[in-house]
Amino acid sequence: MCGIVGYVGAEDAKEILLRGLEKLEYRGYDSAGLAIANDQGVHVYKEKGRIATLREAVNQTEAGTVGIGHTRWATHGAPSKLNAHPHQTARYTIVHNGVIENYEQVRREYLPDVEMTSDTDTEIIVQLVEKFASDGETTEVAFRHALSLLKGSYATALLDLEDPETIYVGKNKSPLLIGLSDGVNVVASDAMAMLQVTKEFVEIMDEEIVIVTKDNVTIKKMTGDVVTRDSYVAEIDSSDIEKGTYPHYMLKEIDEQPFVIRNIVTKYKDEDDSIKLDDNVRQAVLGADRIYIIAAGTSYHAGLVGKEMIEKIAHIPVETHIASEFLYNMPILSKKPLFIFISQSGETADSRGVLVNVKKLGHQTLTITNVPGSTLSREAQFTLHTHAGPEIAVASTKAYTAQMAVLVILAVDAARASGLEMDFDPLQELGIVANAMEIFTEKKDVLEEIARDYLSVTRNCFFIGRSMDYHVCMEGSLKLKEISYIQAEGFAGGELKHGTIALIEEGTPVIGLATQENVHLNLRGNMKEVVARGAYPCMISMDGFQEEDDKIVIPKVHNYLTPLVSVIPLQLIAYYAALHRGCDVDKPRNLAKSVTVE
Ligand code: M6R
């Protein structure tokens, strides 16, 4: 979702800010803007649409060594140049991520006579600072005063025309980092945006403000008390976030999956080849009478598979919940629950909302994430890292398979620690999975052809499977709809005939997944039901269960791990379908990579 960058140093800030905004493009946005401060004033440029449009609009001769930039994903007010950030008053200029829930109320109470120039919730922040400063408060005090009135989430950066060498930064619930360097300091929603300047970052906690100049970074609480905090070195390299020779990040990330799985095996293996896991995490799992997995989207689908893995392998009851539902409709909890939050970004607001609530209830919390320094990671008691490397494409691929790999390791570790008999070595079996994944690198032409044949002109598509395959079908359908805009549904094979089969007509594509030993024949029966009603079937099975007309046969892997492999043809079919239909694969419409608002 929205992204923020800021720069205060010695070079002209424009190019650094534009490059930073380009690195944040993957998060999703619909407009962008920046402000450059110099002796002549604060110059604002903003445009609806891509950064490339903003780049053209920026006056390249207008130099300044301080600036802030923003990508906006509209929440309040349509995507437009008017609503794009920065927003300005006579003296102040602001960019903001997040949602101010009480902005109407604050506006009525504090700014009744101020005419707003945009439809955004953001504008009240800058208007409040202007008001408090004109009442005689210093900028810092006015900024803290304004932020203290807000309910909701914000990461925000402010420039003061009368002190153009300083960026004032505030944070609550939305991610924000300060990057440190020699005579240069930067602000970013995501370290990736500012790896061009530094790898050294300092985290900002909720309800803190930061005063950033080129030589100083001062963190303060809302009370004005100074906070000291160590910096850390970001463990990513700028080359990790380049596409290289790939046409799209999504394709690169699909291809990276065998490497990611091998990397996870290495990270979770100790010297004697057994599982390496923090003993506190083990005890938290063993101490739970029920596990609640909380997640959204693709991570939720990994959680559905995780439930099966943990219940079958470790014999611990598990419920998997959609975060945004759980947040306002919490079921009756068991006596000793453990909450596992699965999130690629570690920033998903719905999941974070649940985390905040269950922490207040005193429950144990574990985050499985690809971004260890993220909000969900910091705020949960324990973190397991998925080690997938930065995932840039909006459509999640390698993060999903990595999440499931970590879940199976967690399940087996718990099973072993509780003395259950096991003839399943997850580290070895994951090695087999990595090899099986690799064959799809060679089969791209087959999958491209399937996408062309089945999905070039259709308006809908069904995915059916049973048991674990059903969960993978949900993921396959999400991939297809989010990037190709084909209406797609993942269904339990046996459920279609209870209503949805009415939608099957001559030529409707139905992709069937049959990798599960105990139900693959039932699924073939369900496929026959739809074929009898005119469906155009595409069967994906596993070695050992294949039949003559199957379009794809995945190599044999352990029954618990089939989702890690069977999802890959579905990811590639979605990729090629989107490509054939001329869609923007890496940046699908209306979507954001990191969903930091509820
Ligand atoms: O960062 P998270 O894993 O918490 O994100 C959750 C969903 O927004 C995400 O998985 C989304 O569904 C994917 N973009 C789908 O490909």
Side-chain angles (χ1 to χ4, degrees), residues 250 294-301 323 341-351 368-371 376 391 393-397 399-400 403 475 478-479 482-483 588 591-596:
M250 183 179 176
I294 309 294
T298 290
S299 298
Y300 168 69
H301 297 156
F341 297 86
I342 305 180
S343 175
Q344 187 285 130
S345 62
E347 299 295 348
T348 299
D350 297 320
S351 300
I368 296 179
T369 184
N370 202 25
V371 187
L376 286 169
E391 190 181 66
V394 165
S396 187
T397 54
Y400 170 74
Q403 288 163 348
E475 174 56 12
L478 176 60
K479 280 301 78 88
E482 71 177 325
I483 59 170
L591 292 180
K593 180 70 180 164
S594 180
V595 185
T596 50

Coordinates of all heavy atoms in Angstrom, one line a residue, residues 250 294-301 323 341-351 368-371 376 391 393-397 399-400 403 475 478-479 482-483 588 591-596, ligand 1:
M250 N 7.2 -11.8 -10.9 CA 6.4 -13.0 -10.6 C 7.1 -14.3 -11.1 O 7.2 -15.3 -10.4 CB 5.0 -12.9 -11.1 CG 4.2 -14.1 -10.6 SD 2.5 -14.0 -11.2 CE 1.8 -15.6 -10.6
I294 N -3.8 -17.4 12.1 CA -4.5 -16.1 11.7 C -3.7 -15.6 10.5 O -2.5 -15.4 10.5 CB -4.5 -15.1 12.8 CG1 -5.0 -15.6 14.1 CG2 -5.3 -13.8 12.4 CD1 -6.5 -16.0 14.1
A295 N -4.5 -15.3 9.4 CA -3.8 -14.8 8.2 C -4.8 -14.3 7.2 O -6.0 -14.4 7.4 CB -3.0 -16.0 7.5
A296 N -4.2 -13.8 6.1 CA -5.1 -13.2 5.0 C -4.6 -13.7 3.6 O -3.4 -14.0 3.5 CB -5.1 -11.7 5.0
G297 N -5.5 -13.8 2.7 CA -5.2 -14.1 1.3 C -4.3 -15.4 1.1 O -4.7 -16.4 1.7
T298 N -3.3 -15.3 0.4 CA -2.4 -16.4 0.2 C -1.9 -17.0 1.5 O -1.8 -18.3 1.6 CB -1.2 -16.0 -0.7 OG1 -1.8 -15.8 -2.0 CG2 -0.2 -17.0 -0.9
S299 N -1.5 -16.2 2.4 CA -1.0 -16.7 3.7 C -2.1 -17.5 4.4 O -1.8 -18.5 5.1 CB -0.5 -15.5 4.6 OG 0.5 -14.9 3.9
Y300 N -3.4 -17.1 4.3 CA -4.5 -17.9 4.8 C -4.5 -19.2 4.2 O -4.7 -20.3 4.8 CB -5.8 -17.1 4.6 CG -7.0 -17.9 4.9 CD1 -7.4 -18.3 6.2 CD2 -7.9 -18.3 3.8 CE1 -8.5 -19.0 6.4 CE2 -9.0 -19.0 4.1 CZ -9.4 -19.4 5.4 OH -10.5 -20.1 5.6
H301 N -4.3 -19.3 2.9 CA -4.3 -20.6 2.2 C -3.2 -21.5 2.7 O -3.4 -22.7 2.8 CB -4.2 -20.4 0.7 CG -5.4 -19.6 0.1 ND1 -5.4 -18.9 -1.1 CD2 -6.7 -19.5 0.6 CE1 -6.6 -18.4 -1.3 NE2 -7.4 -18.7 -0.3
A323 N -8.0 -13.3 9.1 CA -7.7 -12.3 10.1 C -8.9 -11.2 10.2 O -9.3 -10.9 11.3 CB -6.4 -11.6 9.8
F341 N 0.6 -16.3 13.5 CA 0.3 -15.3 12.5 C 1.2 -15.6 11.3 O 2.4 -15.6 11.4 CB 0.5 -13.9 13.0 CG -0.4 -13.5 14.1 CD1 -0.1 -13.9 15.4 CD2 -1.6 -12.9 13.9 CE1 -0.9 -13.6 16.5 CE2 -2.5 -12.7 14.9 CZ -2.1 -13.0 16.2
I342 N 0.5 -15.8 10.2 CA 1.3 -16.1 8.9 C 1.2 -14.9 8.1 O 0.1 -14.5 7.7 CB 0.8 -17.3 8.2 CG1 0.8 -18.6 9.1 CG2 1.7 -17.6 7.0 CD1 0.3 -19.8 8.4
S343 N 2.3 -14.3 7.7 CA 2.3 -13.1 6.9 C 3.6 -12.9 6.1 O 4.6 -12.8 6.8 CB 2.0 -11.9 7.7 OG 2.0 -10.7 7.0
Q344 N 3.5 -12.9 4.8 CA 4.7 -12.6 4.0 C 5.3 -11.3 4.5 O 6.5 -11.2 4.9 CB 4.4 -12.5 2.5 CG 5.5 -12.4 1.6 CD 6.2 -11.1 1.5 OE1 7.4 -11.0 1.6 NE2 5.5 -10.0 1.4
S345 N 4.5 -10.2 4.5 CA 5.1 -8.9 4.7 C 5.3 -8.6 6.2 O 6.1 -7.8 6.6 CB 4.1 -7.8 4.2 OG 2.8 -8.0 4.9
G346 N 4.5 -9.3 7.0 CA 4.5 -9.0 8.5 C 3.9 -7.7 8.8 O 4.0 -7.2 9.9
E347 N 3.1 -7.1 7.8 CA 2.5 -5.8 8.1 C 1.0 -5.8 7.9 O 0.4 -4.7 8.0 CB 3.1 -4.8 7.1 CG 4.6 -4.6 7.2 CD 5.1 -3.9 8.5 OE1 4.2 -3.5 9.3 OE2 6.3 -4.0 8.8
T348 N 0.4 -6.9 7.6 CA -1.0 -6.9 7.3 C -1.8 -6.4 8.5 O -1.8 -7.0 9.6 CB -1.4 -8.3 6.8 OG1 -0.7 -8.6 5.7 CG2 -2.9 -8.4 6.5
A349 N -2.6 -5.3 8.2 CA -3.3 -4.6 9.3 C -4.3 -5.5 10.0 O -4.5 -5.5 11.2 CB -3.9 -3.4 8.8
D350 N -5.0 -6.4 9.2 CA -6.1 -7.2 9.8 C -5.4 -8.2 10.8 O -5.9 -8.4 11.9 CB -6.8 -8.0 8.7 CG -7.5 -7.1 7.7 OD1 -8.1 -6.2 8.2 OD2 -7.4 -7.4 6.5
S351 N -4.3 -8.8 10.4 CA -3.6 -9.7 11.3 C -3.1 -9.0 12.5 O -3.1 -9.5 13.6 CB -2.5 -10.4 10.5 OG -3.0 -11.1 9.4
I368 N 5.0 -16.2 11.7 CA 5.8 -16.8 10.6 C 5.8 -15.8 9.4 O 4.8 -15.5 8.9 CB 5.2 -18.1 10.1 CG1 5.2 -19.1 11.3 CG2 5.9 -18.7 8.9 CD1 4.6 -20.5 11.0
T369 N 7.0 -15.2 9.2 CA 7.0 -14.1 8.2 C 8.3 -14.2 7.4 O 9.3 -14.7 7.8 CB 6.9 -12.8 8.9 OG1 6.9 -11.7 7.9 CG2 8.1 -12.5 9.9
N370 N 8.2 -13.4 6.3 CA 9.4 -13.3 5.4 C 10.2 -12.1 5.8 O 11.2 -11.8 5.2 CB 8.9 -13.2 4.0 CG 9.9 -13.6 2.9 OD1 10.8 -14.3 3.2 ND2 9.8 -13.0 1.8
V371 N 9.7 -11.2 6.7 CA 10.3 -10.0 7.0 C 10.5 -9.9 8.5 O 9.6 -9.5 9.3 CB 9.5 -8.8 6.5 CG1 10.3 -7.5 6.7 CG2 9.1 -8.9 5.0
L376 N 4.5 -7.4 12.7 CA 4.0 -8.7 13.3 C 5.1 -9.5 14.0 O 4.9 -10.2 14.9 CB 3.3 -9.5 12.2 CG 1.9 -9.1 11.8 CD1 1.5 -9.8 10.6 CD2 0.9 -9.2 12.9
E391 N 10.0 -10.6 -1.7 CA 9.0 -11.0 -2.7 C 8.4 -9.6 -3.2 O 7.8 -8.9 -2.5 CB 7.9 -11.9 -2.1 CG 7.0 -12.4 -3.2 CD 5.9 -13.3 -2.6 OE1 5.0 -12.8 -1.9 OE2 5.9 -14.5 -2.9
A393 N 6.6 -9.2 -6.6 CA 5.3 -9.2 -7.3 C 4.2 -9.2 -6.3 O 4.3 -9.8 -5.3 CB 5.3 -10.5 -8.1
V394 N 3.1 -8.5 -6.7 CA 2.0 -8.5 -5.8 C 1.4 -9.9 -5.6 O 1.0 -10.3 -4.4 CB 0.9 -7.6 -6.4 CG1 -0.5 -7.8 -5.7 CG2 1.3 -6.1 -6.2
A395 N 1.4 -10.7 -6.6 CA 0.9 -12.1 -6.5 C 2.0 -12.9 -5.7 O 3.1 -13.1 -6.1 CB 0.7 -12.7 -7.8
S396 N 1.6 -13.4 -4.6 CA 2.5 -14.1 -3.7 C 2.7 -15.5 -4.2 O 1.8 -16.3 -4.5 CB 1.9 -14.2 -2.3 OG 2.9 -14.7 -1.4
T397 N 4.0 -16.0 -4.4 CA 4.3 -17.3 -4.9 C 5.3 -18.0 -4.0 O 4.9 -18.9 -3.2 CB 4.8 -17.2 -6.3 OG1 6.0 -16.3 -6.3 CG2 3.8 -16.8 -7.3
A399 N 6.6 -17.0 -1.3 CA 6.3 -16.8 0.2 C 5.4 -17.9 0.6 O 5.5 -18.5 1.7 CB 5.7 -15.5 0.4
Y400 N 4.4 -18.3 -0.3 CA 3.4 -19.3 0.1 C 4.1 -20.7 0.3 O 3.9 -21.3 1.3 CB 2.4 -19.4 -1.1 CG 1.4 -20.5 -1.1 CD1 0.4 -20.6 -0.2 CD2 1.5 -21.6 -2.0 CE1 -0.6 -21.6 -0.2 CE2 0.6 -22.6 -2.0 CZ -0.4 -22.6 -1.1 OH -1.3 -23.7 -1.2
Q403 N 6.1 -20.6 3.5 CA 5.3 -20.7 4.7 C 5.0 -22.1 5.0 O 5.1 -22.6 6.1 CB 4.1 -19.8 4.5 CG 4.3 -18.4 4.5 CD 3.1 -17.5 3.9 OE1 2.2 -18.1 3.3 NE2 3.2 -16.2 4.1
E475 N -5.9 -21.4 -3.6 CA -4.7 -20.6 -3.9 C -4.6 -20.4 -5.4 O -4.3 -19.2 -5.9 CB -3.5 -21.2 -3.3 CG -2.2 -20.5 -3.6 CD -2.1 -19.0 -3.3 OE1 -3.0 -18.5 -2.6 OE2 -1.2 -18.3 -3.7
L478 N -7.1 -17.9 -6.6 CA -6.7 -16.5 -6.2 C -5.7 -15.9 -7.1 O -5.7 -14.8 -7.6 CB -6.2 -16.5 -4.7 CG -5.8 -15.1 -4.2 CD1 -6.9 -14.1 -4.2 CD2 -5.2 -15.2 -2.8
K479 N -4.7 -16.8 -7.4 CA -3.6 -16.3 -8.3 C -4.2 -15.9 -9.6 O -3.9 -14.8 -10.2 CB -2.6 -17.5 -8.6 CG -1.5 -17.8 -7.6 CD -0.5 -16.7 -7.2 CE -1.1 -15.8 -6.2 NZ -1.0 -16.0 -4.9
E482 N -6.5 -12.6 -9.4 CA -5.8 -11.4 -9.0 C -5.0 -10.8 -10.1 O -4.8 -9.6 -10.2 CB -5.0 -11.4 -7.7 CG -3.8 -12.2 -7.7 CD -3.0 -12.2 -6.4 OE1 -3.0 -11.2 -5.7 OE2 -2.4 -13.2 -6.1
I483 N -4.4 -11.6 -11.0 CA -3.5 -11.1 -12.0 C -4.1 -11.1 -13.4 O -3.7 -10.3 -14.3 CB -2.1 -11.7 -12.0 CG1 -2.2 -13.2 -12.3 CG2 -1.4 -11.3 -10.8 CD1 -0.8 -13.8 -12.5
P588 N -1.0 -5.8 -10.5 CA -2.4 -5.9 -10.9 C -3.2 -4.8 -10.3 O -2.9 -4.2 -9.3 CB -2.9 -7.2 -10.3 CG -1.8 -7.6 -9.3 CD -0.6 -6.9 -9.6
L591 N -4.7 -3.6 -6.4 CA -4.1 -4.4 -5.4 C -2.9 -3.7 -4.8 O -2.2 -3.0 -5.5 CB -3.8 -5.8 -5.9 CG -4.9 -6.7 -6.2 CD1 -4.4 -8.0 -6.7 CD2 -5.8 -6.9 -5.0
A592 N -2.6 -4.1 -3.6 CA -1.4 -3.6 -2.9 C -0.6 -4.8 -2.4 O -1.2 -5.8 -2.0 CB -1.7 -2.7 -1.8
K593 N 0.7 -4.8 -2.3 CA 1.5 -5.9 -1.8 C 1.4 -6.0 -0.3 O 1.2 -7.1 0.2 CB 2.9 -5.7 -2.2 CG 3.9 -6.8 -1.8 CD 3.6 -8.0 -2.6 CE 4.5 -9.2 -2.1 NZ 4.0 -10.5 -2.6
S594 N 1.4 -4.9 0.3 CA 1.5 -4.9 1.8 C 0.2 -4.1 2.2 O 0.1 -2.9 2.0 CB 2.7 -4.1 2.1 OG 2.9 -4.1 3.5
V595 N -0.7 -4.9 2.8 CA -2.1 -4.3 3.0 C -2.1 -3.7 4.5 O -2.5 -4.4 5.4 CB -3.2 -5.3 2.8 CG1 -4.6 -4.6 2.9 CG2 -3.0 -5.9 1.4
T596 N -1.7 -2.5 4.6 CA -1.5 -1.9 5.9 C -2.7 -1.1 6.4 O -2.6 -0.4 7.4 CB -0.3 -1.0 5.9 OG1 -0.4 -0.1 4.8 CG2 1.0 -1.8 5.7
Ligands
M6R1 O1 1.8 -10.0 3.7 P1 0.7 -11.0 3.9 O2 1.1 -12.4 3.7 O3 0.1 -10.8 5.3 O4 -0.4 -10.6 2.9 C1 -1.7 -11.2 2.9 C2 -2.4 -11.0 1.6 O5 -2.7 -9.7 1.4 C3 -1.6 -11.6 0.5 O6 -1.3 -12.9 0.7 C4 -2.4 -11.5 -0.9 O7 -3.5 -12.3 -0.8 C5 -1.5 -11.9 -2.0 N1 -1.1 -10.7 -2.7 C6 -2.1 -12.8 -3.0 O8 -1.2 -13.2 -4.0

